[in-house]
Amino acid sequence: GARVEAHSLVGAAHLNGYAGKVTAHQGDRVGVDFGPQGVKALKADNLLLLPPQKLPVTVLSGFLGAGKTTMLTHILTNREGLRVAVLVNDMASINVDEKLLKEGVQFSESKDKMVELHNGCICCTLRDDLIKSVRDLALENRFDYLIIESTGISEPLPVATTFAANDEQGRLLLGEFAVLDTCATVIDCANFLKDMKSLELAVDRKELGAEEGDDRTIVDLLIDQAEFANVLVLNKTDLVSSDELQDLRRLFKKLNPGAHIIESQNGVVNPKLVLNTQTFDMDSASMLPGWKAELSGVQHKPESEEYGISSFVYRKDRPFHPDRLQELLKRGPLPGVLRSKGYAWCASDHLIAVEWSHAGSYTALRGGFTWLPLGYCRQSWPEEEKAKWADSLYGDRRQELVFIGTIDEAALSKALDGILVTDEEFALGPEIWTSWPKLVTAQTLTSEDKGREAEFTIGIVKQDGERIGVSIDETEGMRITYIKEGGLIDKWNTDTRPENPELEVSVGYNIVAINGKRGWNELKQQISSSRHLKLRSHAFCQVQQKNDFHALNLERELELTKKLITDHLIRAPFAYTAQFCQSGGFVPCRQMVVLTTLHQPSRGFVWVDAIE
């Protein structure tokens, strides 16, 4: 019945690292059931005895300054006899949190242990170190619990998945040694909503220690940490009003409906609410962020129960016009919307779903999954997709977006309907749509095709009974998805490859013209009726790209302008001050009136000029 892990095997090296259960032993041989690998008789010297129970773990996340270390200190000083190991992660070369914990907590060398991981983040660069540290702590078999305090820029999702991940051979990385018991995120109530309006990247705040090239925004981090947790600790509640606290509770109920919300001051929480809760379940519907829960039809509370914080799902089976979509997003976040996410259909990006993600002042559009192929390729759809989308002209293409906030549904629907293609534009179809500006895809040559002509012409002669020998995806143009052996295209490739490899036609290429004719119907007609075919092909493939939009940060513009003018004014012979007026609010072109005053000792302050 003991749990063991195989190691140092030579003849059966494929079993090294696998864990199993002892079923029998005879002499120096031990029978071990390795599950799918079968029952094996191995020497005891090749088996590592594993702890009878997996080490339970709480992962503590939260933005910089939220109060993670303060809360951890409180938990450790009130752990009621638990033998606790603590793993502290810090981006800096000096682990400040580890030093603070040692100063604030009395550790027993025989019962407790602290491990520090610095100069990186456990969700990415230090992932291997995390795995090794947790494994080593579990194999010591002397701790009741492990608490991991992550950095301010750590995302809890990749850390959590490490506990269920497998290596290349299918062996569990940590699952045999530890189990993720609780995933808790600490929220800074005093600064959360303010930081949600930030336009900064993580690298803009040096104290976060983000690595160069990290393109995550502050808002990205806040949302990732809040949406993926089964316990949310609203800390510093004493620094906000009761109304502000109520607004935060309503917001997090929508962002993460399955999370248990705890209120805290100075990090004081009942340890039983974050340790040994046995509540984390990666596959549970309770772990769905609010936007996924809405799309999946998981329990949705009426707006009246949410006191103004509501959610709204926008669904349409017509694409957005790319120009009007960009114009809408450039004007800034939609009124009242705090968070929105989902998938959109943009007319010009006809192959790829547009992944839409908005929080605070940022909206990001990225390439998502591939829509179902159209035309003849409909026959290859999975049966489930055929049953669901068979009657849809464009398959599974649709708008499916979730909006969370203080929303006027009628006004929001009107704004989104206004950027859909019109009836006249819809009638043009993908052949015209795909010539419009693309938002999340771009055409490029593959690395294999670098240096060759992007478009080229081939000539073939079709005899009676002969076929072109290609399968075509008509989703966007006529893209070749398969070249049949013995077909005319295959013969062309065979004949031209030795001397003119640049004229070889490959899977993924598009047929853009035949005998000078363009357009799907014309191309099909030429193939069926002509013997001599001149095929114009291009070798471009679609690659995904990201498109970011953000609202004008007028407060930051004001501060920068104020500093600039003040720096100039203080060099003048007199002491100037600058007063900034905001009559009726800033207009989109950021016009600003600056009123300056001149101080004269005998007359006090007098207006001397107005600079527009």
Side-chain angles (χ1 to χ4, degrees), residues 500-515:
N500 298 293
E502 71 278 2
L503 295 179
E504 184 176 350
V505 179
S506 300
V507 170
Y509 287 11
N510 269 275
I511 300 174
V512 296
I514 298 180
N515 295 341

Side-chain angles (χ1 to χ4, degrees), residues 377-411:
C377 289
R378 280 177 175 262
Q379 300 179 37
S380 65
W381 290 4
E383 291 303 319
E384 183 180 349
E385 302 295 343
K386 287 180 182 178
K388 192 173 183 179
W389 307 108
D391 297 330
S392 175
L393 178 61
Y394 293 112
D396 59 343
R397 289 160 181 77
R398 64 199 184 278
Q399 314 295 350
E400 200 165 66
L401 300 167
V402 179
F403 296 87
I404 296 173
T406 52
I407 297 170
D408 182 337
E409 288 190 17

Side-chain angles (χ1 to χ4, degrees), residues 54-353:
K54 297 178 183 180
L55 181 64
V57 181
T58 287
V59 173
L60 202 57
S61 302
F63 197 59
L64 188 72
K68 299 187 297 296
T69 304
T70 304
M71 178 176 144
L72 181 54
T73 301
H74 171 78
I75 292 172
L76 293 174
T77 54
N78 294 273
R79 61 189 185 276
E80 298 180 352
L82 274 180
R83 296 172 298 172
V84 176
V86 180
L87 195 157
V88 183
N89 182 207
D90 200 301
M91 290 298 297
S93 58
I94 299 176
N95 199 319
V96 177
D97 289 343
E98 183 249 359
K99 292 181 181 296
L100 291 173
L101 280 171
K102 284 183 176 178
E103 291 176 2
V105 180
Q106 185 67 40
F107 282 95
S108 169
E109 290 295 331
S110 61
K111 295 181 179 179
D112 308 313
K113 187 171 184 177
M114 181 179 295
V115 177
E116 56 176 311
L117 296 177
H118 51 75
N119 269 338
C121 183
I122 57 175
C123 70
C124 46
T125 55
L126 296 183
R127 187 168 182 259
D128 290 341
D129 293 331
L130 169 67
I131 294 170
K132 182 180 185 305
S133 297
V134 174
R135 174 189 168 96
D136 291 346
L137 289 170
L139 289 177
E140 287 190 35
N141 196 22
R142 64 186 181 94
F143 303 112
D144 300 317
Y145 211 86
L146 169 62
I147 303 175
I148 300 175
E149 182 190 355
S150 57
T151 71
I153 61 170
S154 175
E155 300 171 41
L157 175 58
V159 176
T161 55
T162 303
F163 286 84
N166 299 76
D167 64 12
E168 295 81 359
Q169 284 74 45
R171 298 169 298 196
L172 287 168
L173 293 173
L174 281 178
E176 296 293 350
F177 310 97
V179 58
L180 186 54
D181 176 89
T182 308
C183 188
T185 293
V186 183
I187 303 295
D188 182 352
C189 290
N191 292 297
F192 185 86
L193 292 178
K194 182 179 71 174
D195 285 333
M196 279 284 288
K197 299 176 184 178
S198 171
L199 294 178
E200 294 175 291
L201 298 175
V203 294
D204 293 335
R205 297 194 184 180
K206 303 302 181 186
E207 65 272 19
L208 289 176
E211 297 178 358
E212 185 177 351
D214 190 336
D215 64 352
R216 292 176 300 170
T217 67
I218 297 298
V219 175
D220 286 336
L221 297 173
L222 291 170
I223 291 297
D224 288 341
Q225 291 173 352
E227 286 187 333
F228 191 87
N230 65 305
V231 174
L232 288 174
V233 181
L234 305 191
N235 195 29
K236 305 182 185 180
T237 58
D238 53 321
L239 301 182
V240 295
S241 68
S242 58
D243 289 341
E244 290 171 327
L245 179 58
Q246 188 71 342
D247 288 342
L248 285 167
R249 288 186 64 91
R250 295 165 188 159
L251 173 60
F252 289 120
K253 274 294 183 183
K254 277 298 180 184
L255 289 178
N256 191 343
H260 179 209
I261 296 179
I262 306 168
E263 294 180 13
S264 168
Q265 296 179 15
N266 299 313
V268 177
V269 297
N270 185 340
K272 293 180 180 179
L273 298 177
V274 291
L275 304 181
N276 275 323
T277 67
Q278 300 180 13
T279 55
F280 182 85
D281 179 7
M282 180 74 79
D283 300 321
S284 170
S286 65
M287 288 306 300
L288 287 177
W291 69 274
K292 279 192 176 179
E294 293 291 342
L295 289 182
S296 303
V298 177
Q299 186 175 1
H300 169 68
K301 292 185 179 180
E303 292 177 34
S304 57
E305 295 181 28
E306 299 296 338
Y307 304 96
I309 300 290
S310 61
S311 57
F312 165 59
V313 180
Y314 180 79
R315 289 187 172 96
K316 292 287 181 179
D317 58 359
R318 178 170 290 209
F320 289 137
H321 191 290
D323 291 339
R324 292 195 285 273
L325 174 56
Q326 286 196 90
E327 289 171 7
L328 178 72
L329 296 179
K330 284 178 179 178
R331 292 200 293 267
L334 295 165
V337 178
L338 298 172
R339 171 73 164 142
S340 61
K341 196 167 175 76
Y343 294 97
W345 174 19
C346 180
S348 56
D349 292 294
H350 200 54
L351 288 174
I352 303 292

Side-chain angles (χ1 to χ4, degrees), residues 394-468:
Y394 293 112
D396 59 343
R397 289 160 181 77
R398 64 199 184 278
Q399 314 295 350
E400 200 165 66
L401 300 167
V402 179
F403 296 87
I404 296 173
T406 52
I407 297 170
D408 182 337
E409 288 190 17
L412 180 56
S413 292
K414 183 178 179 180
L416 295 171
D417 288 346
I419 63 174
L420 295 170
V421 296
T422 63
D423 291 342
E424 293 78 10
E425 291 165 339
F426 188 75
L428 297 174
E431 189 173 351
I432 300 300
W433 298 346
T434 52
S435 66
W436 296 345
K438 298 182 184 296
L439 297 187
V440 297
T441 58
Q443 289 188 331
T444 186
L445 291 173
T446 64
S447 57
E448 294 82 3
D449 292 324
K450 296 294 184 183
R452 68 177 297 176
E453 292 292 331
E455 285 198 9
F456 58 94
T457 301
I458 68 172
I460 57 178
V461 178
K462 182 165 67 74
Q463 305 293 342
D464 291 342
E466 289 186 318
R467 303 181 68 85
I468 299 293

